[in-house]
Amino acid sequence: MSVDPVVRPGAGAAVTLRPVTGARLQDGFWGARQRVNRAVTIPLGGERVRDSGAFDNLRHAARGAGGEHPAEHRGKVFADSDVYKWLEALAWERGRREDDGLARSYAEASELVAAAQCADGYLHTHTQLTGRRRYSDLASSHELYCAGHLMQAAVAGRRATGDETLLRVAARFADHLAKDLPGDALDGHPEVEMGLAELHRETGAPAYLDLAARQVAARGRSLIQLKGHHGPGYRQDRVPVAEATTVEGHAVRAMYLAAGATDVAVETSDLDLLAALDRQWRDMVATKTYLTGGLGSNWYGEAFGGHHELAPDTAYCETCAAIGSIQWSWRMLLATGDAAFADLIERTLYNAVLPGVSLDGEHFFYVNALRVRAGADPDDLRAPARGRQGWYGTACCPPNVMRLFSSLDHYLATRDGDGVQLHLYAPGTVRAGGVLLEVETGYPWTGRVEIVVKETPDHPWTLSARIPAWADAAGVEAAGIDGRPAEPGGYHRVRRTWRPGDRVVLDLAIRPRLTAAVPRLDVARGQVAVERGPLVYCLEQADHPGVIVDDLCLAAADLRDASAVAGLPADVVPVTARGRVHVHREDDGGFPYRTAVAPQDPEHAGPADLTFVPYYAWANRGAGPMTVWTPMHRA
């Protein structure tokens, strides 16, 4: 089934690449995740959203719209957005494979949303049920934030299934906003910009893009009323988007705004704005991104810190921020064609989004720290030390994961006037016009990626296959086919008149490697991380009985692939190494500091065998100490 993509730039958009409509994941690593998402996570999400009262809010708002006295609103002010994200996940799943149960759930929820809409198009159940004046507290009401998610769900419904129920609701709301939203009104949580831009692309209505552009241009002038201790940067209202040099404030808000601003930049051909966004992205990657691709180093405000403020144990790295990062990077990839954006998408997807849901699809992380210390017993349910939870009072992350996984096919490949580009590797097929490719691979466990041409036009075109930046020993087999040499961080390009049966085989030479941080990242000095292919690894307490992960260090750089470990799927490849375990001295005196000696006294560090597992898989065997960064033993 051919389904229009999540992001579909207009015919005149200033983009280098365009999404394909015929990519399909089949089996393999991500195929398995999509099956769990469909069979377990999405149905569970529907139950949890219903239990939260979000559906009841819509029912009560519908009765209120009919003149009956409304009931009390349940849940957060942004509860509507949980429904919309779940509906978007349902839509993309139906586009992948129709199902009577999915169709019935989608229809029931969509009709409920439509019934709750006011006669003039307005829709926000918290405002409708509490009687609060519309747009009177946009700093925290999330009215436009919810509208943006409604618009994205509506576009997904039409593109994936042809159903226009939500599209009519979203268009009426957007018409209302274009007509009645005060000129200086800005939501404290960006999101409507993406929704308006994509709704414009779907309907062709210029007013929607104009409003999105107005929202982006108004940022940075301290128009949002502030509460508490946060400054205007927390809500991206300190510096105009076109003038900013870095990202700041609440990480999810920053990513959603940047993604929406990129939509506006390409649709209006504002190359200065696009250049500013490119600078902000590169500064973020260079100074504010964790090894996993996670974003947000401060629990207070769920926010970015300063440059190189990337402590592993206090990392916030909200799952939603990682998803927002992928949304922004994908739009920048379409705009520029630069493989750096695809590299970050892959890193973030495997290591910052995937940890947000358990292997069984039933439990979630809101926060994704890179270290959990022994003895941690926080009261906050978001803390990784408490393990994944079945749901959260603020439940933005679980349905966000659902909609990304159900639409993941759309991020595999693109096309341009010269050919087809492959960005993410998974078993499946890619159709772009007259080209049909089949991809066979065991990625990310093995680096062999076989690309087979199944159908092709009879004129030359270019096949471009991304070589990840980490693949410094990549090789390419293409018997009788000339092409540019494979270079890490770019694309292996082959232009020719192809024939059915032609194939290009990538050998990305996946093997364990040690990674060190730049010196300015002082919290990781003297420590290393283990990576293997696109995956970041960690030490987990479950694999080291009798010792505490906090006391382990790496003694040698001879990393080795190992056989499966107990409690994790058989296809997971662990990495082993020789290490040391620090023995606490009896004369510590109860004070955690002592006179420095060099080198470290080896008699207080005994041998240990270390087992590293993929970071995304930790906490599936119970919560406990864990670390991505490991000290190197200096004997």
Side-chain angles (χ1 to χ4, degrees):
M1 182 184 296
S2 180
V3 176
D4 279 354
V6 174
V7 179
R8 191 182 67 192
V15 295
T16 300
L17 308 177
R18 291 184 177 274
V20 301
T21 60
R24 180 56 58 92
L25 280 165
Q26 297 170 350
D27 301 323
F29 185 91
W30 286 110
R33 296 309 307 167
Q34 284 190 320
R35 286 194 295 273
V36 172
N37 189 52
R38 181 188 182 96
V40 178
T41 312
I42 290 176
L44 175 71
E47 294 175 7
R48 296 289 186 269
V49 172
R50 186 172 292 105
D51 293 344
S52 75
F55 286 109
D56 286 339
N57 293 336
L58 290 164
R59 290 190 186 91
H60 296 319
R63 286 198 288 269
E68 297 182 29
H69 183 71
E72 181 180 355
H73 183 274
R74 291 176 58 193
K76 303 292 185 180
V77 296
F78 43 80
D80 296 357
S81 67
D82 296 338
V83 177
Y84 302 148
K85 281 183 281 188
W86 178 74
L87 274 168
E88 184 180 345
L90 278 176
W92 295 125
E93 273 302 314
R94 290 180 63 197
R96 293 180 59 247
R97 189 178 79 252
E98 187 58 282
D99 173 91
D100 289 344
L102 292 178
R104 186 165 50 252
S105 295
Y106 183 86
E108 291 172 354
S110 296
E111 290 165 5
L112 189 57
V113 171
Q117 188 169 35
C118 295
D120 64 353
Y122 181 85
L123 177 56
H124 185 246
T125 63
H126 185 268
T127 299
Q128 291 168 244
L129 296 181
T130 60
R132 184 179 55 189
R133 183 167 56 90
R134 297 176 183 179
Y135 314 124
S136 61
D137 185 22
L138 278 175
S140 57
S141 68
H142 289 68
E143 287 164 89
L144 303 187
Y145 167 83
C146 289
H149 279 301
L150 169 63
M151 294 170 193
Q152 289 180 311
V155 169
R158 189 189 204 187
R159 290 180 182 172
T161 73
D163 192 310
E164 296 191 355
T165 303
L166 285 181
L167 190 72
R168 289 190 291 269
V169 175
R172 287 182 61 209
F173 199 172
D175 290 339
H176 160 76
L177 292 173
K179 177 177 176 291
D180 293 337
L181 186 69
D184 60 351
L186 284 175
D187 198 288
H189 199 308
E191 161 64 20
V192 75
E193 300 83 359
M194 274 192 288
L196 285 165
E198 212 60 49
L199 192 62
H200 158 76
R201 289 163 169 165
E202 187 63 25
T203 66
Y208 305 161
L209 180 61
D210 292 344
L211 180 54
R214 192 177 87 197
Q215 290 284 299
V216 171
R219 292 270 166 185
R221 292 167 176 79
S222 300
L223 296 176
I224 300 174
Q225 296 180 355
L226 299 176
K227 297 179 180 179
H229 300 288
H230 294 301
Y234 169 71
R235 292 183 174 88
Q236 294 71 51
D237 197 28
R238 187 178 69 88
V239 181
V241 178
E243 300 174 15
T245 58
T246 189
V247 292
E248 66 177 8
H250 188 280
V252 181
R253 287 172 162 91
M255 293 301 95
Y256 285 1
L257 175 62
T262 305
D263 285 333
V264 168
V266 300
E267 292 299 332
T268 62
S269 296
D270 189 339
L271 300 186
D272 289 338
L273 176 58
L274 187 62
L277 291 161
D278 185 86
R279 289 192 297 271
Q280 293 162 32
W281 186 91
R282 294 183 190 281
D283 181 83
M284 177 187 78
V285 174
T287 67
K288 296 185 177 182
T289 301
Y290 282 89
L291 180 65
T292 58
L295 301 173
S297 56
N298 292 343
W299 275 68
Y300 180 67
E302 304 178 319
F304 287 102
H307 284 180
H308 299 103
E309 187 181 338
L310 296 167
D313 42 351
T314 56
Y316 198 74
C317 292
E318 183 179 338
T319 304
C320 279
I323 293 170
S325 172
I326 289 175
Q327 291 175 324
W328 183 21
S329 292
W330 179 247
R331 288 161 170 79
M332 293 299 293
L333 175 62
L334 297 179
T336 67
D338 188 337
F341 298 106
D343 277 341
L344 184 63
I345 289 172
E346 179 177 75
R347 177 175 293 277
T348 305
L349 180 62
Y350 278 101
N351 305 296
V353 175
L354 188 55
V357 59
S358 60
L359 296 176
D360 62 12
E362 297 181 358
H363 298 86
F364 307 91
F365 270 146
Y366 192 112
V367 173
N368 295 279
L370 279 68
R371 175 179 290 145
V372 173
R373 297 184 182 277
D377 186 25
D379 184 51
D380 197 317
L381 288 177
R382 295 170 297 172
R386 296 184 66 89
R388 293 181 181 84
Q389 303 295 308
W391 205 249
Y392 295 94
T394 297
C396 50
C397 296
N400 224 354
V401 172
M402 295 173 208
R403 67 173 181 149
L404 177 62
F405 283 6
S406 63
S407 62
L408 195 56
D409 309 63
H410 300 274
Y411 296 88
L412 297 178
T414 56
R415 60 179 177 83
D416 62 10
D418 190 46
V420 180
Q421 305 80 39
L422 301 182
H423 305 292
L424 299 177
Y425 296 123
T429 56
V430 172
R431 179 174 287 283
V435 174
L436 176 62
L437 304 175
E438 183 177 79
V439 179
E440 301 173 4
T441 182
Y443 199 83
W445 307 120
T446 67
R448 181 181 174 86
V449 180
E450 187 169 352
I451 306 161
V452 183
V453 178
K454 307 296 287 187
E455 297 176 16
T456 177
D458 59 0
H459 57 76
W461 57 274
T462 302
L463 172 62
S464 302
R466 184 177 64 92
I467 307 300
W470 50 261
D472 57 0
V476 179
E477 302 172 16
I481 299 175
D482 294 328
R484 301 180 190 175
E487 296 181 1
Y491 292 88
H492 179 74
R493 305 184 191 276
V494 182
R495 179 173 177 79
R496 72 189 304 261
T497 300
W498 298 85
R499 297 170 299 179
D502 284 343
R503 63 188 61 214
V504 173
V505 180
L506 307 180
D507 179 6
L508 299 179
I510 287 181
R511 61 192 182 213
R513 64 188 185 278
L514 290 180
T515 300
V518 297
R520 286 188 179 183
L521 213 168
D522 55 313
V523 293
R525 287 179 191 164
Q527 301 178 75
V528 292
V530 172
E531 296 184 273
R532 186 181 185 277
L535 298 174
V536 173
Y537 277 61
C538 68
L539 290 174
E540 188 177 6
Q541 189 62 58
D543 299 307
H544 302 89
V547 298
I548 299 298
V549 163
D550 296 13
D551 296 330
L552 295 176
C553 63
L554 193 65
D558 58 333
L559 306 176
R560 302 176 299 278
D561 287 347
S563 57
V565 296
L568 293 182
D571 60 348
V572 171
V573 178
V575 172
T576 60
R578 289 186 293 112
R580 307 282 284 180
V581 56
H582 292 290
V583 180
H584 291 289
R585 302 194 303 186
E586 295 181 359
D587 59 350
D588 281 348
F591 191 57
Y593 308 96
R594 64 187 62 155
T595 302
V597 293
Q600 180 179 324
D601 187 349
E603 72 174 281
H604 296 294
D609 294 323
L610 307 186
T611 298
F612 295 84
V613 297
Y615 171 71
Y616 79 80
W618 91 276
N620 280 277
R621 298 171 289 175
M626 175 277 300
T627 185
V628 166
W629 292 105
T630 305
M632 282 293 289
H633 178 69
R634 308 295 182 186

